[in-house]
Amino acid sequence: MPQTLSSTSMFTPCGFSPHLHTSKEDEQGGLIFQDGNLTSASLDALIQHLIPTTDYYPEKAYIFTFLLSSRLFIEPHELLSRVCHKCIEQQRLDDPVLDKARIRKFGPKILQLLTEWTETFPYDFQEERMIGHLKDMIHRIAPCDEAYWKKMNQLLQTLNQKLATLSHGQEGIVKISAAVSDKLVAFKSKPPSIQREILSVCSDPYTLAQQLTHVELERLSHIGPEEFVQAFVHKDPLDGTKTCFSEQKKTSNLEAYVKWFNRLCYLVATEICMPAKKKQRAQVIEFFIDVARECFNIGNFNSLMAIISGMNMSPVSRLKKTWSKVKTAKFFILEHQMDPTGNFYNYRTALRGAAHRSLTAHSNREKIVIPFFSLLIKDIYFLNEGCANRLPNGHVNFEKFLELAKQVGEFITWKQVECPFEQDPNIIHYLHTAPIFTEDGLYLASYESESPENQTEKDRWKSLRSTILGKT
């Protein structure tokens, strides 16, 4: 069924059970390690661990994990301010005469950290304060090496291009959403027969599966890793007055993607309920079964689940005469793959297979992994809920955030795959803008196609004909 992001009642427990190592703890500079893995520390110690020196640079995995999770405790502009302040202090960048030899050792490392931050979390730098801190740091080290000016300009140019691309993509999604909303309103008042249908736009299931993959990868590309954390921001127990990001949760791309899933569900159901003849409806069902099967083969599990969900919506599933004309064996195989039993055991097995294929792939076609997104969100939600952000001693529970970073990091790898299929603008335009029935419109179309079977359905049909068509 269609999904919702804001309602936690849509999620079911994923079985996440945090485990703690029992081996001896070992402390280094306020950082607690177990089995050689960083498990907890004070926020100050974690910030210090992020800061490069002349002979130290943090591990890439640590940088990603901390920048991802730190926003639960401190806003990015505050974090960057503290990082810059500590660098100025430790490298004596305020001294009238700078130690150029030392700064030439330190400079490339701080530039590398800032580059990784802008590349992985570009949305953080939509704030002027962030750009201000970044420029200030580079201005302080630049007198020691002319190359630093060039690197700063390259960094800012790349960042601006990335933000412009992301912004353009977001604007396109907003326009599409507005156009779709207008058409939904019209259908609330009257669901007439729709002039065009999917088979007139694309009759080849392989092509449609490929175009759906285009849409999925395009929309995924706009989701920043931080949105997975910001979606579930709570009050920090050490600050009872406000949440981080109190002015805005900044999860618009993530929410837009969930809306796309819902739209695809309703589009599939609309296309099935629309035709007046039973034979045509059965033909549309078989077409979508083939599309779903090809989505599975591609590794596009999100479109696959949306199609299955659309076919399982009550207005579609009640069309028994239509389904009797359908060769359902292939559909049952797909349903089995996406069966929620055992916390989606079959799907998770297929996802692991696709992920493994992606790791050893020789082409972009083999690299595609588009997870069932609402389940990914649910897993992250329960990982977040199942384990405290802070330990009783006030330390940040870093072990939890390593697991979070592992899940989000895998997703980031998948979303960066370039779609190998040729784009068909007509099909993509149809997928985004074709009118779809509301739930009431779907039920009315379903009852008009195959008459109600019991008194409850008859009463609902009569009510819908009255409210939507103005008939008694």
Side-chain angles (χ1 to χ4, degrees), residues 323-386:
W323 281 96
S324 70
K325 299 288 181 186
V326 174
K327 297 170 186 170
T328 52
K330 289 185 286 188
F331 180 63
F332 293 146
I333 291 169
L334 290 171
E335 272 200 315
H336 178 69
Q337 288 290 350
M338 304 306 279
D339 184 354
T341 305
N343 188 25
F344 288 89
Y345 177 81
N346 295 336
Y347 157 71
R348 291 183 191 278
T349 302
L351 180 68
R352 280 196 299 274
H356 179 72
R357 177 186 71 185
S358 180
L359 286 173
T360 57
H362 298 293
S363 67
N364 280 342
R365 168 68 178 77
E366 294 172 314
K367 286 180 185 175
I368 296 170
V369 184
I370 301 171
F372 172 30
F373 195 67
S374 293
L375 187 61
L376 175 66
I377 295 282
K378 182 210 75 173
D379 287 349
I380 291 171
Y381 172 80
F382 277 96
L383 169 59
N384 189 56
E385 290 294 301

Side-chain angles (χ1 to χ4, degrees), residues 143-199:
C144 297
D145 194 325
E146 281 294 316
Y148 295 159
W149 292 111
K150 188 178 178 183
K151 286 180 181 175
M152 179 184 80
N153 288 329
Q154 285 175 340
L155 189 156
L156 290 174
Q157 192 176 358
T158 304
L159 175 62
N160 287 333
Q161 285 173 348
K162 193 161 191 175
L163 286 173
T165 302
L166 291 168
S167 176
H168 180 71
Q170 284 177 315
E171 285 168 12
I173 288 171
V174 168
K175 284 178 186 172
I176 287 165
S177 298
V180 170
S181 299
D182 291 343
K183 291 181 180 179
L184 273 173
V185 170
F187 274 68
K188 281 175 186 170
S189 57
K190 183 183 180 185
S193 65
I194 303 171
Q195 296 306 309
R196 296 180 81 196
E197 72 284 331
I198 191 68
L199 289 175

Side-chain angles (χ1 to χ4, degrees), residues 173 208-223 253 256-258 260-262 264-265 295 298-307 368-374 411 414-417 419 428 431-432:
I173 288 171
L208 186 60
Q210 291 174 0
Q211 298 310 303
L212 284 169
T213 303
H214 255 295
V215 174
E216 298 281 354
L217 287 172
E218 165 68 19
R219 285 174 171 259
L220 285 182
S221 71
H222 300 302
I223 300 173
N253 298 300
Y257 191 53
V258 172
W260 153 250
F261 179 93
N262 292 341
L264 185 52
C265 289
C295 284
I298 288 171
N300 179 359
F301 297 106
N302 201 56
S303 290
L304 165 63
M305 183 55 98
I307 293 168
I368 296 170
V369 184
I370 301 171
F372 172 30
F373 195 67
S374 293
F411 168 80
W414 296 337
K415 82 174 187 126
Q416 289 169 345
V417 173
C419 191
I428 287 180
L431 290 170
H432 278 138

Side-chain angles (χ1 to χ4, degrees), residues 9-24:
S9 63
M10 294 299 293
F11 302 128
T12 54
C14 68
F16 172 76
S17 177
H19 63 278
L20 292 174
H21 301 293
T22 54
S23 61
K24 190 178 176 183

Side-chain angles (χ1 to χ4, degrees), residues 44 53-55 83 112 118 122 135 173 189-190 210-211 222 229 232 244 259 271 281 285 337 359 366 369 464 470:
D44 282 342
T53 64
T54 53
D55 53 6
V83 167
Q112 178 61 25
T118 57
K135 285 181 176 177
I173 288 171
S189 57
K190 183 183 180 185
Q210 291 174 0
Q211 298 310 303
H222 300 302
V229 173
F232 306 118
C244 293
K259 285 177 183 173
E271 294 286 345
R281 291 195 298 273
I285 289 175
Q337 288 290 350
L359 286 173
E366 294 172 314
V369 184
L464 291 173

Side-chain angles (χ1 to χ4, degrees), residues 297-317:
N297 292 336
I298 288 171
N300 179 359
F301 297 106
N302 201 56
S303 290
L304 165 63
M305 183 55 98
I307 293 168
I308 291 173
S309 298
M311 288 197 280
N312 279 329
M313 289 177 76
S314 296
V316 177
S317 61

